[in-house]
Amino acid sequence: MHSHYNALLVCLSYAVSVLGSFTALQLALSIPLANHPRKRLGAVLAAGTAMGGGAIWTMHFIAMLACNMGVQVSYDVWLTAVSALLAIVACSLGLAMVSAARVRFVHLLGAGVLMGLGVAGMHYIGMMAMLTSARASYDLPMVALSVAIAIVASMVALWLAFNLRGWLQMLGSSLVMGVAVCGMHFVGMAALMLMPGDSLPVGFEQGVRGDRLGLMTFAVVIALLALALGMSIARQQRRAAVTI
Amino acid sequence: MAELEVRVVSERREGLLVELGRIISEHDHVLLRQRLAADVQGTCATLVLRGPDERRLALEDALEAHPRVLSLASSGGVALHASPVASSARAKHPASRVGGAEVAKIERILPNLAKDYPRIFPWLIHLEYEVAVEARNASLHLAGRRTGCWVYKRDYALGAKLGLLDAMRRIALPALREFVPAEQHGSELHLRDCPLCQPGGASGGHFFCGFLEGLLMDAVDEPSLAVHEIHCHSHGAAACVFEVSQ
């Protein structure tokens, strides 16, 4: 069975992953400035949620909406929720690790592996949540390549975010993190092989369908935009308040 | 929980305790006792604080970075000794320089530097004429340090600590280029056509030494930092050259 993609939704999925990465990495940059453990935890969770829930989970489901596999599809609610939670936890841990005083290679490696596995784990659990009559199997070398892309591109994005300053820091890191998320997803989708089946699985009717999925992703995107705008205003105020 | 005695020297006493008290409570410490006394540089506040030991360095750092604090010394025990933060600050910024600077005149000019930044040279030239000849270098140095600290906190504080050469390339160079053409050659920064260093005139290098110290001291992951001017356009060199070392 062959899949076809809606190019507009594919572009939208990349744009959403960049927006989520931008919000998450900007939040992550404020982690070292938090002067209280509770504030630090709050900043880590906010950054992890923006990355896991915004950049990764939302991107995945917009890209799934873009994919026409020629069969009816719905998504198991619990596994879909678990996939989001995994991405949020893995990204929170990774961002906490990399927001040390000085980012050394060992921090980058640890954080890159955590975030890469978070991206990949979210994707493959999200695929397990897919309820369809078709039977799915995977090309393992392609799966390994998708995980490697997620890890390496995450490391590059984190390095850019924490070691550079200015526009390249803000925009470059988000664009590369978007490549990490989308690269992993689309290589992972290329690894997927679907064989026609003859019956719908149990729970298909109770699963989340495309229309509701669209609304959910829309809500997350609005939340990300509001967060990015709020953060930008707060940064401007903080910058203006610095006294000489 | 540990007790800590901090001695802070500031130019004015008005509102000092309120401003320092805010920083103290933000760092989970409480003020047990305080004493204010006149000092040759203005006023000296001795504060006895109590709070978690792991927050002590952050508190000292925040107090030392406060714009009204000219110098800081702290003690966790009976004998008063300089804190690591204060020691490093003095190493970078000798007391004679603070003492020699005309702080009141610098304080008056700093808001104008911030308002007109990066068009700061007219104000710096004004400062040069405003202060006594013997206070000129120390005053330029202090004005530079305060400006550098301010620029760092405003524009470059978000991100990880960097190695010295990376900090020079990613922070010092773009910050300098806002008001003077600059190039990096290893651990040296070359400034061309600096209006403060006209041939035959006095060198304005002290401002840039202070500026680079203020800009880089929180950006690098090493506690000590030194900036020296090794060539100056005012002495006939093609460019002003500053060497930054740890």
Side-chain angles (χ1 to χ4, degrees), chain A residues 96-141:
Chain A
M97 182 180 286
V98 85
S99 51
R102 184 173 181 185
V103 180
R104 299 181 190 282
F105 182 74
V106 66
H107 296 128
L108 270 183
L109 185 65
V113 168
L114 273 169
M115 289 183 59
L117 291 179
V119 178
M122 186 274 127
H123 174 82
Y124 289 108
I125 292 177
M127 295 306 288
M128 275 169 61
M130 196 169 73
L131 300 168
T132 171
S133 58
R135 283 176 283 120
S137 60
Y138 287 95
D139 176 358
L140 286 181

Side-chain angles (χ1 to χ4, degrees), chain B residues 78-160:
Chain B
V78 177
L80 199 68
H81 63 273
S83 70
V85 171
S87 303
S88 62
R90 272 196 291 276
K92 292 173 222 167
H93 192 40
S96 61
R97 275 183 171 160
V98 175
E102 292 194 21
V103 178
K105 288 175 180 169
I106 296 168
E107 291 289 348
R108 271 204 302 276
I109 237 161
L110 284 173
N112 295 314
L113 288 182
K115 182 166 66 70
D116 289 341
Y117 191 86
R119 292 179 297 277
I120 57 174
F121 288 120
W123 289 113
L124 294 173
I125 291 165
H126 178 72
L127 178 67
E128 282 186 295
Y129 286 108
E130 186 92 336
V131 298
V133 176
E134 62 275 14
R136 178 186 173 278
N137 292 346
S139 298
L140 280 176
H141 188 278
L142 183 56
R145 191 166 184 263
R146 291 277 295 273
T147 309
C149 276
W150 173 72
V151 170
Y152 174 77
K153 285 180 188 166
R154 204 181 63 142
D155 295 334
Y156 299 99
L158 289 176

Side-chain angles (χ1 to χ4, degrees), chain A residues 77-168:
Chain A
V77 176
W78 287 109
L79 276 177
T80 302
V82 167
S83 70
L85 193 64
L86 175 82
I88 290 169
V89 170
C91 290
S92 298
L93 290 173
L95 290 171
M97 182 180 286
V98 85
S99 51
R102 184 173 181 185
V103 180
R104 299 181 190 282
F105 182 74
V106 66
H107 296 128
L108 270 183
L109 185 65
V113 168
L114 273 169
M115 289 183 59
L117 291 179
V119 178
M122 186 274 127
H123 174 82
Y124 289 108
I125 292 177
M127 295 306 288
M128 275 169 61
M130 196 169 73
L131 300 168
T132 171
S133 58
R135 283 176 283 120
S137 60
Y138 287 95
D139 176 358
L140 286 181
M142 288 290 276
V143 171
L145 177 65
S146 71
V147 176
I149 288 172
I151 291 173
V152 173
S154 296
M155 286 173 68
V156 174
L158 291 171
W159 185 89
L160 291 171
F162 283 89
N163 283 289
L164 298 186
R165 298 293 190 276
W167 282 105
L168 202 56

Side-chain angles (χ1 to χ4, degrees), chain B residues 29-196:
Chain B
H29 278 66
V30 289
L31 180 59
L32 301 178
R33 292 186 297 280
Q34 83 273 358
R35 190 175 67 244
L36 287 171
D39 184 89
V40 67
Q41 291 175 34
T43 192
C44 175
T46 305
L47 314 171
V48 179
L49 315 170
R50 183 188 290 151
D53 208 30
E54 65 272 15
R55 304 279 290 147
R56 178 181 161 178
L57 279 180
L59 171 65
E60 289 175 350
D61 205 9
L63 287 173
E64 199 267 341
H66 192 280
R68 289 190 60 184
V69 174
L70 299 178
S71 65
L72 176 143
S74 73
S75 157
V78 177
L80 199 68
H81 63 273
S83 70
V85 171
S87 303
S88 62
R90 272 196 291 276
K92 292 173 222 167
H93 192 40
S96 61
R97 275 183 171 160
V98 175
E102 292 194 21
V103 178
K105 288 175 180 169
I106 296 168
E107 291 289 348
R108 271 204 302 276
I109 237 161
L110 284 173
N112 295 314
L113 288 182
K115 182 166 66 70
D116 289 341
Y117 191 86
R119 292 179 297 277
I120 57 174
F121 288 120
W123 289 113
L124 294 173
I125 291 165
H126 178 72
L127 178 67
E128 282 186 295
Y129 286 108
E130 186 92 336
V131 298
V133 176
E134 62 275 14
R136 178 186 173 278
N137 292 346
S139 298
L140 280 176
H141 188 278
L142 183 56
R145 191 166 184 263
R146 291 277 295 273
T147 309
C149 276
W150 173 72
V151 170
Y152 174 77
K153 285 180 188 166
R154 204 181 63 142
D155 295 334
Y156 299 99
L158 289 176
K161 302 258 186 201
L162 303 172
L164 182 59
L165 292 181
D166 287 338
M168 288 170 67
R169 185 165 61 247
R170 293 174 201 147
I171 295 176
L173 211 51
L176 284 168
R177 281 177 177 164
E178 285 198 65
F179 48 83
V180 65
E183 287 167 22
Q184 182 183 357
H185 298 276
S187 62
E188 292 176 0
L189 289 163
H190 293 223
L191 311 188
R192 292 189 181 277
D193 307 324
C194 170
L196 293 180

Side-chain angles (χ1 to χ4, degrees), chain A residues 41-67:
Chain A
L41 182 66
V44 167
L45 286 178
T49 304
M51 184 66 83
I56 301 172
W57 188 86
T58 312
M59 177 272 150
H60 173 85
F61 282 104
I62 293 177
M64 291 310 292
L65 288 174
C67 180

